[in-house]
Amino acid sequence: MQTTAAKAGVVRGGSVSALLPIMGAVFVAFLVIGLAMPVLPLHVHQGLGLGTFIVGLVAGSQFAAALFSRVWAGRHADSRGAKHAVITGLMLATAAGLLYLLSLLFERQPAVSVTILLIGRAVLGAGESFVITGAQTWGLVIAGPQNTGKVIAWMGTAMYAAFALGAPAGSALYGRLGFNAIALATTFMPLGALLLVSELRRVAPTARLRPSLMKVVKAVWLPGVGLALTSAGFGTMTAFVALLFAARGWTVWPAFTTFAAAFIAARMVLGHIADRKGGAKVALIFLLMEAVGQALLWLAPSPAIALIGAGLTGFGYSLVYPGFGVEAVRRAPAESRGLAMGAYTAFLDVALAGASPLLGLVAAASDIGTVFLVGALSVVCAAPIALRLMK
């Protein structure tokens, strides 16, 4: 059996081959989320005839469930092994697909249908939490803590590659076959990822004793708050950019693909930079880019300007997450990295679970473009945190 040290040597030598199978599992798991991303708001708003607050509630329910499962997922990865956590997440994703299918049986009763859909989104959120927390913990064991930024960047690359491909594919499936096709894909695609993961060798659990949650939270809370504030840009993209483009008569899917393509490009070219230059410094530079992107989406008079805004949002947010993540892992106990990643990412879930419904109220009170102004202001508020961490 190949040792952890040997695997780490492969990664430190500059190759990502040791992480590619794990990235493949993340890609397949998140492709089902990408498929639904551009069409779920349309299904709820246009198909079921419900308002923008409910759109935000449905979008935010996934992140709320992910929030409540992050600590569970982190402890699971530390105590039972990262591979077991990933497998658990994929099984939950399949269960979410079955709930999507069930919701379609009640389309003539929108309140019942959206309630089942909310439960499905919550189950999918828990599955997402287990998959990404397990994958990141797996990567950190293989690559070592000195490659934290790279591991987070590479796993995120797999995730957003899935979003980039899933957005146009989801739009095409929805246009031809309706939400039924999205529900079927959500049910069966995670089963394919299970076959991939089952062939991989497990790494030993890292926890010897049950780690103190409060100790870990105390270590990661400041970079976590920075992540929460900057995640407003991600929240506006996932929940409201489809409605923005639809309201202005523009084709919806290029916004998601541009966002994800810029995100991936930044991580492929600059994924190592947080490890070398310092996480806080990188987070500061790229959060300012993200804020500019949000402002452009707010002001955009044409689809071309809006796509530039989407690209800047993706390019900026791409390295904010690993930038603050390097600071979080550096402060956490070595034996609790799974729990640290879960606690750190929980700040993202807090932001998105709360922000999506609130932004829906903002859209209802003013117009859909205003949510991107609010997103820009929230991102800028993270700059003082990055400056403090630099000290």
Side-chain angles (χ1 to χ4, degrees), residues 85-349:
V86 172
I87 289 173
T88 300
L90 294 171
M91 294 175 65
L92 288 170
T94 291
L98 293 173
L99 287 166
Y100 280 13
L101 288 169
L102 180 61
S103 75
L104 292 171
L105 299 178
F106 298 91
E107 283 188 295
R108 293 184 179 180
Q109 299 171 271
V112 176
S113 181
V114 80
T115 299
I116 298 171
L117 190 61
L118 277 167
I119 297 170
R121 293 285 292 171
V123 172
L124 185 61
E128 175 264 321
S129 179
F130 271 77
V131 169
I132 194 61
T133 302
Q136 289 174 337
T137 305
W138 206 342
L140 287 173
V141 172
I142 292 173
Q146 70 277 14
N147 288 305
T148 296
K150 284 185 179 181
V151 170
I152 296 174
W154 289 333
M155 295 305 164
T157 298
M159 183 193 308
Y160 285 94
F163 289 160
L165 293 176
S171 295
L173 285 172
Y174 183 74
R176 293 184 179 183
L177 302 173
F179 199 70
N180 292 278
I182 307 299
L184 288 170
T186 305
T187 302
F188 291 106
M189 292 185 68
L191 297 178
L194 272 173
L195 296 177
L196 176 63
V197 171
S198 66
E199 299 298 320
L200 301 179
R201 293 175 178 174
R202 65 187 294 273
V203 293
T206 57
R208 300 293 182 266
L209 299 173
R210 185 176 178 87
S212 168
L213 174 60
M214 291 308 299
K215 183 178 180 181
V216 173
V217 171
K218 184 178 179 180
V220 306
W221 78 269
L222 188 58
V225 171
L227 172 65
L229 290 169
T230 55
S231 295
F234 178 63
T236 61
M237 293 299 298
T238 57
F240 296 102
V241 78
L243 297 181
L244 175 73
F245 273 60
R248 296 180 180 179
W250 305 333
T251 303
V252 170
W253 69 261
F256 291 98
T257 300
T258 302
F259 171 81
F263 185 103
I264 293 165
R267 288 202 169 176
M268 289 181 67
V269 177
L270 301 171
H272 63 284
I273 194 171
D275 294 318
R276 295 185 181 181
K277 302 296 184 182
K281 182 185 294 185
V282 169
L284 177 62
I285 294 170
F286 283 85
L287 71 86
L288 295 176
M289 293 184 190
E290 181 187 357
V292 171
Q294 290 285 283
L296 285 177
L297 282 163
W298 169 49
L299 297 169
S302 68
I305 300 298
L307 289 176
I308 292 173
L312 278 174
T313 299
F315 196 87
Y317 184 69
S318 65
L319 293 179
V320 169
Y321 182 88
F324 282 128
V326 166
E327 301 294 336
V329 171
R330 183 167 65 86
R331 289 164 168 75
E335 69 277 7
S336 304
R337 293 196 180 108
L339 183 56
M341 289 308 306
Y344 169 66
T345 311
F347 284 90
L348 165 65
D349 301 320

Side-chain angles (χ1 to χ4, degrees), residues 358-376:
L358 290 175
L359 289 171
L361 291 175
V362 169
S366 55
D367 61 76
I368 198 69
T370 306
V371 301
F372 296 93
L373 171 61
V374 175

